[in-house]
Amino acid sequence: MRTIGLEEHFVTEELAGYGAGTSTIAAPAVWAEASRKLLDLTGERLAAMDAAGLDVQVLSLNSPGIQAERDPSVAVTRAAAVNDLLAATIAQHPTRFAGFAALPLQDPQAAAKELERAVTQLGLRGALVNAHTQGRYLDDPALRVVWEYASGLDVPLYLHPANGVDTPHVLADHPVLTGPMWSWGCDTAAHTLRLIFGGVFDEFPDAKLLLGHMGEGLPFVLWRLDSRWAFHDHHGIDLARGNPSEYLRHNLYITTSGVCDAPPLLCSILALGADRILFGTDYPFEDMATATAFLAAAPISEADRAKIAHGNAERLLKL
Ligand code: MN
């Protein structure tokens, strides 16, 4: 079955330093191995895809990417350069790769324009955003222009985790909890709720948000979000769709990246519908073959398996 992965990372020598603060998420030898794989675009990666039965990788710059750059003008230049490199790589292997742009969100207008250039001139399929940008989240009024362009271009923004601005008190003295095992998921789910309650999806009703890691826990809590929101008289917030869960059903798409486990997949299908779930591996941080084997064996209908493997991606990303 044709299989398309949506959370497939790479990095360049020039940009690898932005990820230094993330190296603590893995044992040193594991990080070194992942770093080596991130730098390879068309060698070992293609062989691993062939071995795993992964037909297409939608490539994205590894977290935190350009967003860790403090100088906005450097971010603008480097985002354009890495998007050009990505487009050139895809042009060499158009049947094996597609891509999500990196955006210099430090400069919102430039980020919107770079998204437009990436989609209309480079053929990229949207953008991947790594959490906050120098403390600014995607519901910030200054970043509405990025949503305006994404909506107008009809491309998704993929919200991927990164280290938070600070360490929440509850995680203090437990570094094991900071990173992809726990804090990144909480942080990304909270960021998503900021978008809902911050009115982004009321201003851009058909904006498309992608989340990895089986929706960062959100498919599990739809009913409780609605129930406890009502319990507090909606906190004085008016939501055009009526309930927070409606946004998660309408604006949200999720990928299976980094979660090779049937119970959360079945929950997500029941909560959001199979049309909202797309395949991803989180390469090189998860094993590609483990992910494709999980999808092949998951206890779901063949129709749903085809949607998740490729049908939904072909429709959402116009592949
Ligand atoms: Mn990832």
Side-chain angles (χ1 to χ4, degrees):
M1 182 183 303
R2 187 180 193 217
T3 305
I4 301 168
L6 272 82
E7 195 182 311
E8 319 298 325
H9 304 305
F10 75 97
V11 80
T12 65
E13 294 281 2
E14 183 184 41
L15 304 181
Y18 290 137
T22 304
S23 63
T24 53
I25 67 172
V30 175
W31 182 256
E33 174 72 356
S35 297
R36 189 182 61 73
K37 289 179 175 172
L38 284 168
L39 289 166
D40 164 69
L41 272 165
T42 58
E44 180 185 353
R45 182 182 299 257
L46 282 166
M49 288 166 63
D50 290 340
L54 184 61
D55 296 282
V56 179
Q57 277 197 337
V58 185
L59 296 164
S60 54
L61 183 61
N62 191 47
S63 179
I66 298 292
Q67 291 163 257
E69 173 57 50
R70 290 179 185 279
D71 182 334
S73 64
V74 173
V76 170
T77 305
R78 289 188 158 181
V82 78
N83 291 335
D84 287 344
L85 171 82
L86 181 52
T89 304
I90 295 164
Q92 287 170 12
H93 299 276
T95 62
R96 306 308 303 277
F97 295 130
F100 289 124
L103 299 181
L105 294 163
Q106 295 88 334
D107 181 339
Q109 291 291 337
K113 284 299 192 187
E114 180 60 14
L115 177 62
E116 180 178 56
R117 187 186 78 93
V119 172
T120 63
Q121 295 179 37
L122 301 183
L124 303 184
R125 307 293 166 161
L128 183 135
V129 174
N130 292 298
H132 68 95
T133 306
Q134 306 295 317
R136 188 188 265 161
Y137 296 91
L138 285 174
D139 62 312
D140 193 290
L143 287 170
R144 294 296 162 101
V145 65
V146 176
W147 288 108
E148 181 191 329
Y149 274 64
S151 276
L153 294 161
D154 192 30
V155 293
L157 296 183
Y158 196 128
L159 181 58
H160 183 276
N163 286 340
V165 175
D166 50 20
T167 303
H169 190 264
V170 69
L171 306 183
D173 309 321
H174 290 274
V176 62
L177 298 177
T178 296
M181 195 190 83
W182 187 250
S183 74
W184 285 12
C186 299
D187 198 89
T188 309
H191 195 158
T192 301
L193 297 178
R194 290 181 66 103
L195 303 178
I196 295 172
F197 292 107
V200 169
F201 299 130
D202 284 340
E203 193 170 342
F204 304 102
D206 292 319
K208 296 179 170 75
L209 179 75
L210 268 162
L211 291 181
H213 315 114
M214 212 68 89
E216 311 287 7
L218 288 169
F220 204 76
V221 296
L222 299 189
W223 190 90
R224 185 158 175 79
L225 288 173
D226 294 349
S227 161
R228 294 305 90 183
W229 183 57
F231 192 66
H232 197 301
D233 200 21
H234 296 180
H235 287 258
I237 300 168
D238 231 3
L239 291 180
R241 289 192 189 278
N243 270 318
S245 68
E246 293 303 316
Y247 297 85
L248 296 174
R249 291 191 175 93
H250 183 82
N251 299 97
L252 182 64
Y253 295 81
I254 70 171
T255 79
T256 62
S257 68
V259 181
C260 300
D261 195 20
L265 174 62
L266 297 177
C267 169
S268 297
I269 291 174
L270 290 169
L272 305 178
D275 291 339
R276 298 276 161 174
I277 303 168
L278 298 84
F279 182 70
T281 76
D282 213 355
Y283 181 85
F285 302 104
E286 295 282 352
D287 179 58
M288 225 187 275
T290 302
T292 51
F294 160 65
L295 179 61
I300 58 178
S301 72
E302 291 312 311
D304 285 356
R305 199 182 326 276
K307 287 178 179 181
I308 294 166
H310 64 92
N312 294 336
E314 289 160 353
R315 190 180 73 253
L316 183 66
L317 305 184
K318 306 179 184 94
L319 290 170

